[in-house]
Amino acid sequence: KTGGEYPFEEGATESPPRPHCFLCREKKMITVKGLTKRYGSKTVVNDVSFTIEKGEVVGFLGPNGAGKTTTLNMITGYTSFSSGSVSVCGHDILEEPAKAKRSIGYLPEFPPLYPEMTVGEYLNFVFDLKKCKLDRDVHLAQVLSATKLEGVEKRLIRNLSKGYRQRVGLAQ
């Protein structure tokens, strides 16, 4: 915790500055049960189950072709699954996809960005897209500071290095 207590905790009086627009109140952040993905007769992810609880930091390791990216894509709702279930902050990814996705921050190696936009334009676009209710100027200043993007707000995303593009992906 930084900057104070979370607003849903007993005795909390104010919200801390947060780099995102949604707080999860569930103890179980991600629950995956029996997740399976098949492409025709080929099973690429077979009966994966796990739970990630609030405050846990986990790694997802395995050899090339083990299904790590496919599993993450299913958890985020980017790819469908053949069977099983995924819940993010208590919201089933199939039954309540918008609510579940509001709680997800996922940074692929090459984040999908709009290269013709400046960093500032893109972050304002994402702010509106996510229907963020925070003060725009204050929030975006915090995000730019947290991701060390101050000074590049006016640069086109296409002209940034891979590392800076990943920072923009994280900033969203």
Side-chain angles (χ1 to χ4, degrees):
K1 294 182 204 179
T2 59
E5 297 182 13
Y6 292 106
F8 51 83
E9 290 184 350
E10 192 174 318
T13 56
E14 63 182 75
S15 298
R18 303 289 296 168
H20 53 78
C21 300
F22 181 78
L23 295 172
C24 180
R25 298 174 190 224
E26 299 294 318
K27 184 177 179 188
K28 293 182 180 179
M29 301 298 287
I30 300 172
T31 303
V32 174
K33 293 181 183 172
L35 199 60
T36 300
K37 175 68 175 175
R38 291 183 196 85
Y39 291 104
S41 62
K42 182 173 172 106
T43 301
V44 295
V45 174
N46 190 22
D47 195 29
V48 172
S49 298
F50 60 88
T51 299
I52 300 175
E53 297 200 10
K54 190 176 201 167
E56 286 185 316
V57 177
V58 299
F60 205 47
L61 305 174
N64 291 345
K68 301 176 299 292
T69 299
T70 301
T71 300
L72 289 174
N73 285 336
M74 291 186 290
I75 291 169
T76 61
Y78 184 72
T79 300
S80 64
F81 42 90
S82 304
S83 62
S85 66
V86 174
S87 173
V88 179
C89 282
H91 303 288
D92 186 282
I93 195 73
L94 296 180
E95 294 174 14
E96 299 178 287
K99 288 181 180 179
K101 289 177 183 182
R102 247 183 263 141
S103 304
I104 295 173
Y106 173 54
L107 182 63
E109 182 177 2
F110 298 101
L113 303 169
Y114 292 108
E116 67 279 1
M117 293 177 125
T118 66
V119 171
E121 289 169 340
Y122 182 75
L123 294 179
N124 274 287
F125 167 73
V126 171
F127 184 95
D128 291 336
L129 187 68
K130 292 188 175 188
K131 298 178 180 164
C132 192
K133 303 289 187 215
L134 301 174
D135 179 275
R136 180 185 302 266
D137 292 336
V138 171
H139 179 65
L140 292 181
Q142 289 174 336
V143 167
L144 289 167
S145 175
T147 55
K148 308 281 190 250
L149 287 170
E150 305 113 316
V152 299
E153 305 97 303
K154 296 188 185 328
R155 291 189 55 193
L156 288 174
I157 291 172
R158 80 164 51 99
N159 295 334
L160 298 175
S161 68
K162 177 183 174 185
Y164 270 95
R165 285 189 204 139
Q166 287 179 321
R167 289 182 193 194
V168 174
L170 183 62
Q172 72 175 340

